[in-house]
Amino acid sequence: QRWGARACRARPCSADTMPPKKGDVAPALPEVEEEVTVPEELGTVPEPSFCLVLGHLAGHNFKVREPPPPGSEDAEPGPVQEFDPCNLVLELGKQPGEPLAKEIVILEREELLAYCTEANGLQDQPVWSGLRFRLAKEREARSRAKTNAARRKAIADFEASKAAEAEEGGAEAPAAAVTDTPDEPKVDILFLLRDAPTAEELKEMSAEGLCADGTVDLWAAVYFAGNTIDDADTSKEVNCEAPELPLLFYEAIHSAPIGTDLANCTVCTLKDSHALAFATPPPAEEGADAAPPPETTQTDRVKASMFQALAAEACSSKRFKAWLQAAEKVKVPDLSSDTMEDRLYKRMISSVPQTYHDIPLFLHCLTEQVERTLSGDAQKKEDEVALAGLEEYLGAAFEEAIDNGAVPRSRPGTSSRPGTSSGAPVGQPSAQADGVAGIPGGGPLVPHLDSACCRHQLGGGGQLDGQHALESVHKVLEKVSVPGSGRSGLPRDAVHGDAEREAIKYRFYPFAPGVPSAELEQMLLLHAFQDLLAKSQPERKWCFADRIWRERIPAKLLGQSLEAALRSEPFVDTAYLPRHDCLLVALHHRSMPGRVMWHAWQGDLLSEFEVSKWQAGASTTMPTYNDWAQVFGAGPASAAVPEPKQVLENIDGRKLGYNCVVEKLATPSDGSVILVSRMEYGLRQSFPEPANLAPSAERFAAAATSLRRLARIMKDGLTFGMVSDKTWIQWQEAERRRRAKELADAAPKDADADTPAPDGDEAAPPQQDLDSVASGPLPFADSQLGALWLALPNGARLTARMHHEGAMQRGAIGPTDEVLTNDIGVLLNYTMAAGQMIQVFSDGTVRLSWPANGSTMESGGPQALSDKAYVPGCPEDVEVMRTITPFGSLIRKLVSGRTEVFHADGTTATRNPTAAELEQQLEALRSELLGASTTSSSIELLSRMLKVYQENPAEPLRESPSERAKAAGLPGHWVIVRTDGCMFGRAPVPPAPPASEAPPEPADGEAPTGSRPSSADGVEGGKAVPELKLEELLSGSLVDD
């Protein structure tokens, strides 16, 4: 029976807030004793621990057979008996006795509703308020009784010691020592809710906060799991499946929000409970007459087993609360997108072409925005910048209007503003760029190790807070923490002074008089590296006698050089060399040729207790009690648990914590490195599912919420690997939806019951077929396509995958095929470091694409715009895509959306975009360029074109356009020019106007209704004006309908 079932049948009011019946009398509550006063000479008596458990009971009615006694395995098995531990517990709770002496109390719903009265201040309150009232009173009375008993015992012991002192003739007897010894885990009182709650009632109980305020020490569902004799074969035992209650708790705990009582309650599973039906025989001891153990009943064994398990859980829960209380609580602010100010970041990042964005530039712009946001006046300053830019724009536009163009002025919007590019055209040096290596005008030489300089010198850069972008990038790179920078990994002060180091060097030189000092120092350094790697990899033999090459790296470029070297993901080992006051850094892969090695990194709550991060004070996500006790390893058997420095209380560890990286490393004999990584975080399960399974000695191995695998091979500076083709998976899902839609369309919508169903092949598919297709296996489920990727040392990438889209277009994959053929082809993509991409399709087509900022090979970058009007096809309308077909045709797509086709026989075809297509192209470009406005010439060019389109809207043709307009290309029309000079146009033919119904003939002697016809109605002088056809408007003829 569910909670409230009887109440709902009795009265129509809510089950949770219904008042008690007239006949219902609330059970008497225990009275709180007066506190026992401790004599001053006795000192302080420690408070005994008190544990109150709120539980729910679930189990099975087992069928068991008494096992044969030891030494008589061949005896006949006993009869089958029934054993119900839950019923024994309930009967034990119903036994009469002293209220404060009872250890198990059964709570009925009607009893709790009886407390919800005006006298208790709980009128119209839910039943869980009555539960809180009852438990609070019980805890107060029982804990006071236990405390008074401990004090009375201490006083009695003290008086006994004084009496013993008097009997010994006045000799000073030692005072009774009052020690604060920890109590054994013990449950003082267990309250069991008789009826099973629903999921909604569990949430309501959690909202009461019984555990949060300390009223309840442990909230748990007690499940007696075990085996029962099979009905079909009485000689076998089968495992009992978990009932509804523990599974309900299990699901509710995992779905409960972090920090709630429901998230921190647990399911206490008592495994092999069927064995409690019979007493366990004592182990036989040789040579000793052991006393027989006291006889126990089934009720005693069930109670002892249940209280022992609950006590262990309560002790662990107490330690979990102490662990949380010792850590500092930090709350990560939850900022919505509406209140987030990011205009400074967008303005700074968009001042550099998107092609040349890198991580240091991103970090600089991001930290500047964070610093501005933390100052508290970010929005105010950004509004001032926006207002200053608007005033500058309006002032420049006003001056240009009043001088009538007599004096050349800069176009509005080109002046420098904080965080944006300077007014100088892109590609020309500015005044701030003087003296900066790698910037045009800043110096002729570029260090080849300075990859940031080599990258940003191509893009022209931009101004970030009054300085060049490369300067900002260099400042970020100088602060990168790498071994050796800022004496990282070295002692704070040198072990030896300069004079001492020189003396140490010259002390060794006389032993090798024939070797130059520089060569001798080089050999000593190589020997030090050899010793370092011998300690790191003792399984290998190292010899650096053949290492004769050494390259000097400037100190300011150390971070970039190590970053480039760490791309191969090696191990890093360091050693301090006092002889030179330097740090040796060795990058290596710890695996012998032809062997495989596994290693793992575990962060957050998965870290081992001995890890140094716990000693330094770590910050962790917020765990629940179950994953803290089961996964973190701090269960009842753990003694010392490391405490974190901070806990992020609003970051659920089950979703973002428990990070782990496992890598498998192999080094074949060809010198390559094969690295397979598995990255995972989060927990799908906080504790094992309630079942009668053998307990694991180690901590619970929970499955991760998110899992990602990556395999790559590194050889000779190249890195390559394979991943699953996401485009193929998306097509499979779309194809499954398409097939389901076809079946749904074929099914009758509103079939008449009297209409007979069609016969033969036209019969509509049944509904189960539609459901099976919509949720069934994916098409070509046995064919899993992948993609090969290759990363080149210069930053370029190459990918290759099966070109299934082209195979569908040419019919190689049919709509009803279930097996893929080999005639699919490959799509090859080559992406350069600057952003250009070359694609080779399966039919031989080659395509070259440029980045969205409009920089092409011919133009060298986006150009500054003048004040003239711009239309698609103008010189500033740069090319963004070029396609060459196998038949020799060249297709060019410009930034405006204009398409130009050049055929092999000399025929050309062009098409200008419509206003809607141009506006769509502008919005797409803005989204790709991170919201840049005047800082991108491509966006401004499209804005100018759209303005021209809006000033001259393209309406349906009503008169013949001029020859110049037809030659330039009408929006949405194709213009084809043959080699003989003939020009053709291709445009969608407008649909014919709907035929109007003829008015009814007027009756004899009756005038026709309606007003007089006018020229506006398409008639003139009583005659209709014929509409011109498309071929007449364009002065041509239709060649294809």
Side-chain angles (χ1 to χ4, degrees):
Q1 181 182 357
R2 297 283 186 187
W3 281 96
R6 292 185 294 239
C8 290
R9 288 197 299 268
R11 301 187 62 180
C13 59
S14 174
D16 290 340
T17 59
M18 70 169 293
K21 301 177 184 178
K22 293 183 179 180
D24 292 343
V25 178
L29 296 173
E31 297 182 359
V32 182
E33 300 178 0
E34 294 291 336
E35 186 176 4
V36 175
T37 304
V38 179
E40 295 182 359
E41 53 184 340
L42 178 60
T44 304
V45 178
E47 294 287 337
S49 61
F50 183 81
C51 180
L52 186 149
V53 178
L54 177 63
H56 307 260
L57 207 58
H60 306 277
N61 186 10
F62 300 104
K63 293 181 179 181
V64 296
R65 181 184 286 113
E66 184 175 4
S72 58
E73 287 76 5
D74 298 335
E76 290 291 333
V80 177
Q81 308 176 21
E82 292 188 354
F83 172 61
D84 190 353
C86 295
N87 188 39
L88 295 177
V89 173
L90 293 178
E91 292 296 333
L92 182 62
K94 293 179 181 179
Q95 293 179 2
E98 182 67 24
L100 292 181
K102 297 186 65 175
E103 294 181 308
I104 300 177
V105 178
I106 310 299
L107 296 179
E108 300 283 352
R109 181 182 181 83
E110 287 76 8
E111 297 177 1
L112 303 180
L113 285 172
Y115 296 118
C116 299
T117 60
E118 187 176 0
N120 297 328
L122 301 177
Q123 187 178 12
D124 299 331
Q125 295 297 319
V127 64
W128 313 119
S129 299
L131 176 63
R132 168 190 287 277
F133 180 78
R134 171 70 181 273
L135 296 181
K137 293 297 184 180
E138 290 277 359
R139 184 181 186 89
E140 183 181 5
R142 291 175 180 273
S143 61
R144 176 64 60 82
K146 188 174 183 179
T147 301
N148 287 344
R151 291 183 178 182
R152 292 190 188 99
K153 183 178 183 302
I155 294 174
D157 294 342
F158 179 72
E159 292 177 351
S161 64
K162 291 180 63 177
E165 176 186 352
E167 293 178 358
E168 292 177 1
E172 184 177 357
V178 180
T179 59
D180 189 8
T181 58
D183 298 337
E184 292 293 330
K186 180 182 178 182
V187 175
D188 294 279
I189 179 64
L190 170 62
F191 289 93
L192 290 175
L193 296 177
R194 182 178 180 83
D195 299 325
T198 63
E200 292 298 327
E201 289 172 341
L202 287 178
K203 295 179 181 178
E204 295 173 2
M205 291 179 62
S206 177
E208 278 297 319
L210 298 175
C211 298
D213 60 4
T215 303
V216 175
D217 296 295
L218 178 66
W219 181 18
V222 182
Y223 170 44
F224 289 93
N227 300 332
T228 186
I229 295 178
D230 191 3
D231 294 335
D233 187 359
T234 57
S235 62
K236 295 182 179 179
E237 290 185 350
V238 294
N239 191 7
C240 298
E241 296 183 358
E244 180 182 359
L245 178 65
L247 295 180
L248 174 65
F249 263 85
Y250 185 78
E251 296 296 335
I253 291 172
H254 286 89
S255 60
I258 190 72
T260 59
D261 285 357
L262 187 56
N264 292 321
C265 77
T266 187
V267 178
C268 185
T269 304
L270 281 71
K271 304 180 186 299
D272 296 331
S273 300
H274 64 281
L276 300 175
F278 307 101
T280 304
E285 298 182 4
E286 297 181 359
D289 297 333
E295 295 185 2
T296 58
T297 62
Q298 291 182 346
T299 303
D300 296 336
R301 292 190 293 270
V302 170
K303 176 187 172 183
S305 176
M306 180 178 62
F307 271 60
Q308 181 181 2
L310 290 176
E313 290 288 352
C315 181
S316 180
S317 178
K318 182 179 178 181
R319 298 171 62 194
F320 168 67
K321 296 175 182 178
W323 185 84
L324 281 182
Q325 189 175 4
E328 177 186 359
K329 306 298 187 301
V330 177
K331 188 174 183 179
V332 178
D334 185 12
L335 298 178
S336 60
S337 58
D338 299 336
T339 61
M340 188 177 299
E341 177 60 60
D342 58 352
R343 285 180 287 179
L344 175 62
Y345 167 77
K346 287 184 176 181
R347 196 169 62 249
M348 296 178 69
I349 198 70
S350 60
S351 64
V352 178
Q354 191 178 20
T355 306
Y356 305 100
H357 288 180
D358 52 10
I359 294 179
L361 179 66
F362 163 74
L363 290 177
H364 173 75
C365 300
L366 183 63
T367 52
E368 290 293 326
Q369 178 65 69
V370 171
E371 182 180 5
R372 177 72 62 85
T373 302
L374 294 178
S375 64
D377 55 352
Q379 186 173 2
K380 179 181 177 182
K381 291 185 177 181
E382 290 305 313
D383 292 341
E384 293 176 355
V385 172
L387 183 60
L390 179 61
E391 292 177 351
E392 183 181 359
Y393 181 88
L394 294 177
F398 177 73
E399 292 179 3
E400 182 180 4
I402 61 176
D403 63 17
N404 200 18
V407 181
R409 300 181 181 274
S410 61
R411 63 180 178 87
T414 56
S415 300
S416 177
R417 292 183 295 166
T420 60
S421 301
S422 62
V426 178
Q428 297 183 10
S430 58
Q432 295 87 345
D434 294 339
V436 181
I439 303 176
L445 300 179
V446 178
H448 74 282
L449 293 177
D450 194 350
S451 58
C453 183
C454 298
R455 181 180 184 86
H456 285 276
Q457 71 161 344
L458 301 176
Q463 297 296 323
L464 305 178
D465 293 341
Q467 63 182 2
H468 199 273
L470 183 57
E471 296 183 38
S472 304
V473 170
H474 277 160
K475 288 184 178 180
V476 173
L477 292 174
E478 290 174 359
K479 298 178 181 179
V480 174
S481 178
V482 295
S485 64
R487 297 194 67 84
S488 174
L490 286 84
R492 183 175 181 180
D493 298 320
V495 177
H496 304 296
D498 296 341
E500 292 177 334
R501 290 197 297 270
E502 290 296 327
I504 293 175
K505 293 179 182 178
Y506 284 102
R507 186 184 306 169
F508 189 79
Y509 292 161
F511 294 94
V515 182
S517 59
E519 186 176 349
L520 187 60
E521 291 295 337
Q522 176 71 9
M523 290 190 294
L524 291 176
L525 280 176
L526 293 177
H527 186 268
F529 271 110
Q530 185 172 317
D531 291 342
L532 172 60
L533 288 175
K535 295 178 181 179
S536 303
Q537 295 193 35
E539 67 274 7
R540 299 186 62 177
K541 294 183 179 180
W542 299 91
C543 181
F544 291 161
D546 56 344
R547 307 298 176 96
I548 60 175
W549 176 260
R550 180 172 62 179
E551 181 181 9
R552 294 184 178 271
I553 301 175
K556 64 179 182 178
L557 301 181
L558 176 63
Q560 295 190 55
S561 300
L562 283 181
E563 187 271 336
L566 291 173
R567 291 178 185 174
S568 60
E569 305 181 44
F571 287 95
V572 181
D573 284 285
T574 60
Y576 176 66
L577 195 61
R579 178 186 180 87
H580 296 278
D581 187 32
C582 67
L583 186 70
L584 304 181
V585 182
L587 310 180
H588 60 96
H589 292 283
R590 188 174 181 179
S591 180
M592 295 185 65
R595 297 187 182 181
V596 178
M597 188 195 71
W598 294 78
H599 65 277
W601 172 87
Q602 294 176 329
D604 197 55
L605 295 173
L606 283 181
S607 301
E608 299 293 338
F609 296 165
E610 296 79 11
V611 178
S612 59
K613 81 166 193 174
W614 292 112
Q615 283 73 25
S619 297
T620 65
T621 56
M622 184 70 174
T624 65
Y625 162 68
N626 292 286
D627 54 80
W628 182 87
Q630 299 289 340
V631 182
F632 180 55
S638 300
V641 181
E643 297 179 353
K645 181 180 180 181
Q646 294 177 340
V647 172
L648 307 177
E649 59 179 353
N650 60 335
I651 303 298
D652 194 345
R654 298 171 298 179
K655 297 180 180 179
L656 298 176
Y658 299 97
N659 305 295
C660 178
V661 177
V662 180
E663 290 187 344
K664 178 181 178 182
L665 178 67
T667 54
S669 57
D670 60 350
S672 60
V673 176
I674 303 175
L675 191 60
V676 181
S677 302
R678 188 181 76 232
M679 295 154 281
E680 54 187 34
Y681 63 87
L683 295 177
R684 292 186 183 273
Q685 298 172 312
S686 298
F687 60 101
E689 189 174 354
N692 191 37
L693 301 178
S696 176
E698 302 177 355
R699 58 185 179 184
F700 176 54
T705 303
S706 178
L707 175 63
R708 180 179 175 225
R709 292 183 176 89
L710 178 62
R712 56 262 190 218
I713 302 173
M714 292 162 281
K715 179 176 175 59
D716 298 335
L718 302 176
T719 304
F720 59 95
M722 288 194 67
V723 295
S724 60
D725 188 0
K726 294 183 179 180
T727 61
W728 171 250
I729 300 176
Q730 294 172 358
W731 178 87
Q732 286 179 306
E733 296 175 351
E735 180 67 13
R736 180 171 60 179
R737 292 192 298 267
R738 185 191 66 81
R739 295 184 181 184
K741 185 176 182 302
E742 287 183 354
L743 284 177
D745 294 341
K749 302 292 183 180
D750 298 319
D752 191 358
D754 299 334
T755 304
D759 299 330
D761 298 336
E762 299 180 358
Q767 183 63 33
Q768 56 266 24
D769 292 347
L770 301 179
D771 298 337
S772 62
V773 172
S775 60
L778 295 172
F780 307 102
D782 297 335
S783 301
Q784 301 297 327
L785 303 186
L788 172 69
W789 60 271
L790 172 66
L792 302 176
N794 60 354
R797 295 181 67 90
L798 179 71
T799 61
R801 65 176 180 88
M802 305 302 291
H803 192 204
H804 53 84
E805 303 95 331
M808 298 168 196
Q809 292 177 0
R810 64 176 182 267
I813 300 179
T816 59
D817 293 346
E818 294 297 338
V819 180
L820 289 180
T821 62
N822 297 328
D823 190 15
I824 295 180
V826 177
L827 172 61
L828 190 69
N829 292 344
Y830 175 72
T831 305
M832 307 178 192
Q836 293 90 342
M837 182 172 63
I838 300 177
Q839 295 176 289
V840 181
F841 298 88
S842 58
D843 61 350
T845 302
V846 180
R847 175 176 295 171
L848 173 62
S849 305
W850 285 272
N853 58 7
S855 60
T856 63
M857 192 178 303
E858 293 83 356
S859 61
Q863 303 297 326
L865 303 180
S866 61
D867 299 328
K868 67 177 183 179
Y870 294 92
V871 294
C874 63
E876 291 77 10
D877 192 4
V878 294
E879 180 181 357
V880 296
M881 184 185 297
R882 175 178 297 186
T883 305
I884 304 176
T885 67
F887 304 101
S889 299
L890 172 64
I891 305 173
R892 299 176 68 241
K893 185 175 181 180
L894 309 184
V895 69
S896 63
R898 175 185 170 96
T899 304
E900 300 176 354
V901 182
F902 303 90
H903 295 281
D905 60 352
T907 304
T908 62
T910 59
R911 181 187 182 275
N912 287 334
T914 62
E917 294 172 349
L918 187 61
E919 185 175 3
Q920 183 179 4
Q921 183 77 5
L922 177 60
E923 294 300 327
L925 191 59
R926 282 176 175 169
S927 63
E928 292 179 5
L929 296 182
L930 302 176
S933 56
T934 58
T935 57
S936 173
S937 59
S938 300
I939 291 181
E940 186 171 355
L941 175 65
L942 295 185
S943 301
R944 298 279 192 91
M945 291 182 182
L946 186 59
K947 183 178 180 181
V948 174
Y949 270 49
Q950 294 173 350
E951 293 175 353
N952 303 280
E955 299 180 354
L957 293 177
R958 299 187 182 278
E959 58 183 8
S960 299
S962 63
E963 294 296 331
R964 181 180 180 182
K966 289 192 293 184
L970 301 175
H973 291 220
W974 281 97
V975 178
I976 300 97
V977 181
R978 295 276 182 87
T979 54
D980 56 0
C982 296
M983 182 169 60
F984 299 87
R986 184 179 294 274
V989 179
S996 58
E997 297 182 359
E1001 294 291 337
D1004 296 340
E1006 189 176 306
T1009 60
S1011 59
R1012 295 178 56 187
S1014 62
S1015 59
D1017 295 332
V1019 297
E1020 183 178 358
K1023 296 182 179 180
V1025 178
E1027 293 187 1
L1028 296 179
K1029 297 182 179 180
L1030 180 63
E1031 55 267 27
E1032 296 178 357
L1033 290 173
L1034 297 177
S1035 301
S1037 60
L1038 292 177
V1039 296
D1040 187 4
D1041 292 336

